[in-house]
Amino acid sequence: MKKRVGILLLLIFVATTSLCFAAEAVTCWFPPGWKSKAIQAKAITDALSDKSGLAIRPRIAKSYPEILTAFSKDEANLVYVGSFVQAIIAARKLGTPLVQNVNGKEMYSGVLVYPEGQDPLAILEQSPTEIAFALGASSGESSAKAATKGKATIGVANHGASVNAVKAGKAKGAVVKSWWWAANGDKFPGMKSFDIPGVSLSKNPDNVLTASRAVSEDVAEKIKSAAMASNDAFGSGSAMMPFDSSKLAFSLGLMQQGGIDPLTYTW
């Protein structure tokens, strides 16, 4: 009889433990561009799991809508992404920002790239519909539309495609991420960059880790603490710091100026 009771208690313990483990499973989403950084994504979630005691699994999204769909469900999710998606999540009240990777490039802007010898302000004023930009990017779509009162129309896949559209004569100018241009400008001889008044301000936050609303407050705190103790996993020179959601105000403001509604936006 005692043996049967012992076995029953053991089964109950195992079942309860399994349920607790399942309840604590969390998916951490990374943007589509992280296909080439799958090893780092796993290193991040391994560190978060190890330091939080939770089961956190990495998942690289096939598209940004996939992330927003996941955040709309009653499931525990995280996402490590930049300001455009973060602004949409904030506007739709789908989650709570936890921490940001403060590495010297944590804030960025959108700058206009144009052919040398031309007048950048004239391009914006006279050819607003002929501005290329990366879709779904604060430094691309939001900045381009804010700079042209919503008239920019040449949406492309990424910043490189934006500048190539100018080189090919398909666009008069391109709005790209400031840090991207600093790293890639030398590849485009004959092109110059211009800070757009009121738009090219380094106020768009990058690399923010956010928890969906289905993540409980105590679990979110565990993840936040784990992230702040896992600097190396997020990259050389990284310092994971608490993130204030008010820092998304500028990115949301660009959307408003450009006529982008974060509540209904789709790619």
Side-chain angles (χ1 to χ4, degrees), residues 111 113 163 176-185 188 191-193:
V111 298
V113 173
V163 181
V176 303
K177 188 175 186 176
S178 54
W179 291 114
W180 181 89
W181 181 248
N184 294 279
F188 300 95
M191 295 287 181
K192 305 289 284 185
S193 68

Side-chain angles (χ1 to χ4, degrees), residues 39-267:
I39 293 176
Q40 186 183 357
K42 187 175 185 304
I44 288 172
T45 54
D46 283 350
L48 293 177
S49 297
D50 180 60
K51 291 179 172 60
S52 68
L54 303 166
I56 301 176
R57 61 197 178 201
R59 185 165 179 180
I60 297 173
K62 295 178 181 177
S63 66
Y64 287 111
E66 188 177 15
I67 296 172
L68 295 175
T69 297
F71 265 60
S72 298
K73 297 178 180 178
D74 188 23
E75 300 172 354
N77 286 286
L78 301 170
V79 66
Y80 185 59
V81 73
S83 64
F84 193 90
V85 174
Q86 295 289 358
I88 290 177
I89 289 173
R92 298 181 187 180
K93 296 180 172 54
L94 298 177
T96 303
L98 303 178
V99 292
Q100 181 184 23
N101 186 342
V102 178
N103 58 6
K105 296 181 179 179
E106 64 273 10
M107 306 299 282
Y108 62 91
S109 67
V111 298
L112 178 71
V113 173
Y114 65 100
E116 186 175 8
Q118 295 189 20
D119 183 344
L121 284 176
I123 290 173
L124 290 170
E125 293 171 2
Q126 298 171 17
S127 306
T129 62
E130 298 179 80
I131 303 299
F133 55 84
L135 291 164
S138 293
S139 55
E141 186 167 6
S142 294
S143 294
K145 287 189 175 290
T148 61
K149 298 180 181 179
K151 296 178 181 179
T153 60
I154 307 175
V156 297
N158 52 53
H159 297 308
S162 297
V163 181
N164 282 326
V166 182
K167 286 183 62 179
K170 297 178 180 179
K172 298 293 186 182
V175 177
V176 303
K177 188 175 186 176
S178 54
W179 291 114
W180 181 89
W181 181 248
N184 294 279
D186 291 344
K187 300 175 185 176
F188 300 95
M191 295 287 181
K192 305 289 284 185
S193 68
F194 172 74
D195 286 349
I196 306 165
V199 172
S200 299
L201 304 176
S202 296
K203 291 186 176 183
N204 296 295
D206 210 355
N207 298 323
V208 177
L209 183 68
T210 288
S212 69
R213 59 189 174 191
V215 176
S216 65
E217 188 173 335
D218 62 322
V219 169
E221 281 301 314
K222 286 182 181 179
I223 294 170
K224 182 176 180 179
S225 297
M228 292 173 65
S230 305
N231 292 333
D232 291 344
F234 285 87
S236 176
S238 297
M240 304 306 292
M241 305 293 289
F243 182 76
D244 184 343
S245 59
S246 66
K247 290 183 178 180
L248 289 168
F250 182 77
S251 302
L252 286 164
L254 288 178
M255 288 181 169
Q256 184 176 24
Q257 289 179 57
I260 299 171
D261 186 351
L263 298 179
T264 59
Y265 180 89
T266 56
W267 276 257

